Amino acid sequence: MGLLSNINQKKVFRKILAKSRSRLYRMAYAWTHNPALADDLVQQTYYKALRNQKQLRDIDAADAWLFRILANCLSDYYRTRKELLSDDEIVIIEKRTPERAAEDEQVAQRVRQAVRSLPLSQCQVVTLVDLEGFAYVAVSQILDIPVGTVMSRLSRGRCALRDRLLDLDTREVMQSPPRVRQIK
């Protein structure tokens, strides 16, 4: 009976891994802004998760456990490389008008730039909470920091994003020529 249960747990764990790939990649990309590095980090996360799956005691906590491994892989990368990452960008393909796509791309670029300008500790918390919807307790476990630290980093990160995005709006309004309306 124990062997059958163990086999079923392995199948469930592999299904969880398969479903989590896009979320792990999205988070790794948000943290690094480099598609190749994000893919490498996800692969390393999978390798470590498969190698250490016996350490996962509660299958319901697998999601947070995988994101914790991803965060550790990123920390290991920075510790060993000590270099700045490139600013490779993704291309957003829209099926709407070119004008709308250009506007959306400008907004996305501004938000990416604002997120990129955050310190890594704030970037990790903001992306885990606001993009992936993790609870503060889960983020605390993923990043191995107290819940209070999660809340303060999130607050500082959101304030910094707001200030940066508002500052960009103000500068653009002041630099752009006034629009002239024609009345018929």
Side-chain angles (χ1 to χ4, degrees), residues 120-138:
L120 179 61
S121 60
Q122 291 176 11
C123 178
Q124 288 178 313
V125 172
V126 167
T127 53
L128 283 169
V129 172
D130 291 338
L131 293 181
E132 288 301 321
F134 278 103
Y136 295 172
V137 172

Side-chain angles (χ1 to χ4, degrees), residues 27-33 41 71 73-79 85 115-128 143 145 153:
M27 189 56 47
Y29 183 81
W31 290 346
T32 65
H33 310 290
L41 290 172
C73 289
L74 180 63
S75 294
D76 293 345
Y77 173 80
Y78 279 124
R79 195 175 321 138
L85 299 176
V115 171
R116 188 178 308 128
S117 69
L118 292 175
L120 179 61
S121 60
Q122 291 176 11
C123 178
Q124 288 178 313
V125 172
V126 167
T127 53
L128 283 169
L143 298 177
I145 57 175
R153 286 181 184 176

Side-chain angles (χ1 to χ4, degrees), residues 13-179:
F13 181 70
R14 290 187 189 269
K15 285 182 182 179
I16 291 170
L17 277 179
K19 288 181 181 179
S20 66
R21 184 176 192 334
S22 63
R23 290 178 67 211
L24 288 167
Y25 177 82
R26 187 172 49 244
M27 189 56 47
Y29 183 81
W31 290 346
T32 65
H33 310 290
N34 181 323
L37 178 58
D39 195 48
D40 289 347
L41 290 172
V42 172
Q43 291 302 321
Q44 190 175 12
T45 299
Y46 270 31
Y47 173 75
K48 288 182 177 185
L50 287 168
R51 194 178 75 204
N52 299 312
Q53 83 184 68
K54 290 182 182 177
Q55 293 177 2
L56 179 62
R57 291 181 178 86
D58 181 11
I59 199 73
D60 294 331
D63 230 14
W65 186 69
L66 288 170
F67 278 88
R68 171 81 183 268
I69 294 171
L70 178 66
N72 289 340
C73 289
L74 180 63
S75 294
D76 293 345
Y77 173 80
Y78 279 124
R79 195 175 321 138
T80 59
R81 303 297 185 307
K82 302 246 186 221
E83 64 184 30
L84 295 176
L85 299 176
S86 67
D87 288 343
D88 294 337
E89 298 296 328
I90 61 171
V91 177
I92 296 178
I93 300 172
E94 298 277 342
K95 292 188 177 184
R96 292 180 280 177
T97 65
E99 293 83 12
R100 181 66 184 165
E103 289 173 8
D104 289 349
E105 179 63 21
Q106 287 175 348
V107 169
Q109 291 289 349
R110 289 174 49 205
V111 171
R112 278 191 211 110
Q113 181 63 35
V115 171
R116 188 178 308 128
S117 69
L118 292 175
L120 179 61
S121 60
Q122 291 176 11
C123 178
Q124 288 178 313
V125 172
V126 167
T127 53
L128 283 169
V129 172
D130 291 338
L131 293 181
E132 288 301 321
F134 278 103
Y136 295 172
V137 172
V139 174
S140 168
Q141 293 168 348
I142 291 168
L143 298 177
D144 195 26
I145 57 175
V147 174
T149 303
V150 169
M151 295 187 311
S152 65
R153 286 181 184 176
L154 182 63
S155 176
R156 286 192 313 267
R158 285 175 175 168
C159 286
L161 283 175
R162 183 194 66 225
D163 293 345
R164 287 178 177 118
L165 292 171
L166 287 176
D167 185 43
L168 285 172
D169 277 342
T170 304
R171 279 188 275 154
E172 285 177 7
V173 167
M174 296 183 86
Q175 290 175 354
S176 65
R179 295 183 180 176

